[in-house]
Amino acid sequence: MNIENVDYDGLIPNNVGLNGDARVKAALETWHPGYIDWWHDMGPEGFQQARVYLRTAVSVDPKGWAKFDYVRMPEYKWGILLAPQVADRKIPFGVHKGEKAWQDVPGEHRAMLRRLIVIQGDTEPASVEQQRHLGKTAPSLYDMRNLFQVNVEEGRHLWAMVYLLQKYFGADGREEAEELLARRSGDPDTPRMLGAFNEETPDWLSFFMFTFFTDRDGKMQLEALAQSGFDPLSRTCRFMLTEEAHHMFVGETGIGRIVERTCEAMEAAGIADAHDTDAVRRLGVIDLPTIQKKANLHFSLSLDLFGNEISTNAANAFHAGLKGRFREDKIDDDHALESDSYPVVRLVDGKMVEQDVPALSALNMRLRDDYVAQCAAGVGRWNRIIDKFAIPFALELPHVAFHRQIGEFSKVKADAGGNMLSAEEWERRKDEFLPSASDRDFIETLMNPQFEPGKFANWIAPPKVGIDNKPGDFEYVKMA
Ligand SMILES: [Fe+2]
Ligand SMILES: [Fe+2]
């Protein structure tokens, strides 16, 4: 993406003309110290003074908006960058479809819009908080650098949402911006707003699963908001999506490299049975069934982020022109959906049945279906790695009824295949589907740091290519 007219001179690099907007500039400069305090308190622990080879907006580079360089994370340039304005953009869906896109908050939709921005904003710092201990057990400097790149960008995404709140929502926007710095992931009194963002990310297998499954929910939400009739939100989200692509890459290749290393070690040791977990674990790699269980956990937590399958909030946000569908601009229909229907798997008298429901109320479901299709494609790519080693094992996504806290299936227990279980059966068998205490203990034994340039922990294969095409032994992080 070609970003023009970025102003790198002040405290806050931006392409939104902050210098000519004294009120918003002052509001953001007032918010800045609290943000830096939050970063010091809740950002990567133990590495605040390390110099990290990050993609960062440090100068106006002819190649684009960013360049790679060493930077101490608290000095990262947390810029406010919007994708270029599309001339004559129209509201692409809902009751206002075809009207000029809003450059200001539409008064009648103000509360709903603010809520959408706050919920998105709240997830950004949450993941930084969840991942703050992982630097200490990084399996390589390459992986540590990728973790920190994700972290600083999530920090910037918080800036992106706070900019919208400060610029367009006056006093209540300022209040929301403060609260985004006050909530804490997992805190019993002031938790983050959504469930998956209050879970722990205790190890690197979890981190890669999180970036694959949970960041992908974020991507889908951003895709839906990038369609918004509120143009500043659309432009912000379009730029964030360019960063989010790297987070998807980190998750997918991270799990792929773990799978590869496990298969390689099994082959070298002559182990053909992936379910002989004791033998596989003795090789110091993560057995495939445990990888499956972690995937089950993170997939099910991430499905909850899409909310209820049937949702009036989602219908209202679409109707109002605030939140669209994935690739709304590529869909061939009337973009109003007033008389369309959409199939949803529901629980009726304890049985799963597919029902056609009004398309407007099934928008969460539709976005989730698009999400599941993308997850499945990624899992397929992991399986091709296993196939190359001719190991008879395939990873798969669990059924959408499995381990749910929100929506149709939150009141029942199901196994990973979607078969209903009694509460007793679930208690007895849940360790078959989700990581058990002993699985977690085993993974913990592998989480030993490998900080030597070019070296990787035994349980993960090196990447095919380095970041910014750097050679294998490049020192991605220089410790303080
Ligand atoms: Fe993000
Ligand atoms: Fe992300």
Side-chain angles (χ1 to χ4, degrees):
M1 182 175 294
N2 201 9
I3 295 292
E4 284 153 20
N5 306 324
V6 180
D7 173 2
Y8 290 98
D9 288 342
L11 181 63
I12 306 161
N14 71 91
N15 67 348
V16 295
L18 263 195
N19 267 339
D21 193 342
R23 183 189 64 81
V24 176
K25 186 163 181 264
L28 286 169
E29 285 176 356
T30 307
W31 186 79
H32 183 264
Y35 172 82
I36 294 296
D37 285 350
W38 167 81
W39 181 268
H40 276 290
D41 290 350
M42 298 310 293
E45 194 182 74
F47 297 91
Q48 300 280 352
Q49 290 310 310
R51 291 164 64 229
V52 188
Y53 192 69
L54 294 175
R55 185 174 68 168
T56 182
V58 287
S59 69
V60 187
D61 190 88
K63 281 183 294 184
W65 65 275
K67 67 174 214 156
F68 289 89
D69 206 350
Y70 285 103
V71 60
R72 290 184 183 85
M73 286 183 278
E75 291 155 23
Y76 184 79
K77 295 279 191 176
W78 321 91
I80 295 168
L81 303 166
L82 269 52
Q85 186 155 16
V86 175
D88 285 330
R89 183 168 177 263
K90 303 280 189 289
I91 298 168
F93 57 88
V95 73
H96 302 288
K97 179 177 155 13
E99 295 171 23
K100 267 174 80 146
W102 297 297
Q103 299 305 327
D104 260 309
V105 175
E108 80 251 55
H109 304 313
R110 181 187 159 92
M112 208 189 321
L113 191 52
R114 193 184 71 196
R115 173 108 189 131
L116 287 171
I117 293 168
V118 168
I119 290 176
Q120 181 61 41
D122 192 67
T123 65
E124 311 290 357
S127 63
V128 176
E129 294 166 0
Q130 289 168 294
Q131 295 161 12
R132 64 187 300 254
H133 302 296
L134 291 174
K136 285 174 282 188
T137 55
S140 71
L141 293 183
Y142 167 88
D143 289 292
M144 185 195 280
R145 177 263 166 219
N146 283 345
L147 165 71
F148 294 158
Q149 180 76 57
V150 170
N151 291 161
V152 293
E153 285 174 354
E154 301 303 7
R156 204 201 64 74
H157 293 176
L158 172 60
W159 272 91
M161 293 298 118
V162 163
Y163 165 71
L164 294 178
L165 291 168
Q166 302 271 25
K167 165 117 180 131
Y168 296 99
F169 292 88
D172 42 342
R174 272 199 301 285
E175 220 166 275
E176 296 281 14
E178 290 304 323
E179 279 167 32
L180 284 166
L181 292 178
R183 286 185 286 272
R184 291 284 181 275
S185 175
D187 189 296
D189 302 320
T190 56
R192 292 293 171 184
M193 296 169 87
L194 302 175
F197 291 91
N198 288 301
E199 299 282 331
E200 284 182 2
T201 311
D203 55 67
W204 278 78
L205 181 55
S206 300
F207 169 67
F208 292 128
M209 288 293 180
F210 186 98
T211 41
F212 182 83
F213 286 112
T214 308
D215 273 78
R216 191 178 307 277
D217 157 72
K219 173 193 153 171
M220 297 307 286
Q221 303 300 335
L222 292 176
E223 290 273 10
L225 294 172
Q227 302 288 340
S228 182
F230 179 52
D231 205 41
L233 177 61
S234 166
R235 292 174 61 197
T236 299
C237 290
R238 274 188 281 139
F239 187 80
M240 290 162 77
L241 281 165
T242 64
E243 292 163 314
E244 213 55 61
H246 175 68
H247 309 181
M248 307 290 100
F249 163 85
V250 169
E252 181 168 332
T253 57
I255 300 295
R257 288 161 53 214
I258 295 173
V259 167
E260 183 186 339
R261 181 65 196 113
T262 298
C263 293
E264 206 177 70
M266 285 173 66
E267 186 180 65
I271 300 170
D273 181 5
H275 292 281
D276 190 353
T277 54
D278 288 342
V280 174
R281 287 181 179 191
R282 275 195 295 273
L283 306 172
V285 295
I286 305 175
D287 52 285
L288 298 175
T290 295
I291 295 173
Q292 176 68 63
K293 287 196 228 176
K294 279 274 192 182
N296 291 349
L297 174 65
H298 287 270
F299 179 68
S300 58
L301 290 171
S302 302
L303 289 182
D304 282 340
L305 293 171
F306 289 85
N308 287 310
E309 289 87 343
I310 312 290
S311 163
T312 31
N313 281 346
N316 291 340
F318 184 89
H319 184 79
L322 301 182
K323 183 178 177 184
R325 291 170 292 176
F326 178 56
R327 302 203 173 136
E328 184 73 45
D329 45 353
K330 309 258 161 32
I331 300 173
D332 183 20
D333 64 14
D334 70 358
H335 303 277
L337 304 180
E338 302 286 350
S339 49
D340 293 4
S341 64
Y342 190 82
V344 176
V345 178
R346 306 195 67 182
L347 197 65
V348 180
D349 299 329
K351 291 206 167 44
M352 279 181 235
V353 286
E354 191 176 279
Q355 280 184 353
D356 280 337
V357 305
L360 271 178
S361 40
L363 284 161
N364 285 344
M365 188 64 213
R366 180 173 180 135
L367 192 63
R368 205 185 80 191
D369 283 343
D370 290 327
Y371 166 82
V372 171
Q374 291 193 5
C375 290
V379 171
R381 288 188 287 272
W382 295 336
N383 283 333
R384 283 207 278 287
I385 300 171
I386 303 175
D387 289 347
K388 265 195 258 157
F389 290 87
I391 294 169
F393 188 93
L395 294 164
E396 50 194 26
L397 294 177
H399 194 277
V400 293
F402 170 76
H403 189 237
R404 299 298 306 283
Q405 322 293 322
I406 287 180
E408 288 290 315
F409 301 105
S410 59
K411 284 175 204 68
V412 294
K413 300 289 181 207
D415 68 13
N419 305 298
M420 297 297 168
L421 301 177
S422 68
E424 296 74 38
E425 274 176 300
W426 167 259
E427 273 311 311
R428 194 158 45 78
R429 294 184 54 202
K430 68 179 183 211
D431 284 357
E432 289 173 37
F433 317 120
L434 291 172
S436 65
S438 71
D439 295 331
R440 286 192 292 267
D441 289 348
F442 167 68
I443 294 170
E444 182 80 37
T445 65
L446 299 182
M447 294 298 123
N448 303 308
Q450 175 50 274
F451 292 173
E452 213 177 300
K455 292 265 170 71
F456 288 80
N458 180 59
W459 51 268
I460 189 165
K464 299 269 178 292
V465 282
I467 292 294
D468 193 27
N469 282 317
K470 291 297 175 199
D473 60 352
F474 185 71
E475 193 177 4
Y476 288 100
V477 181
K478 292 182 194 278
M479 304 297 169

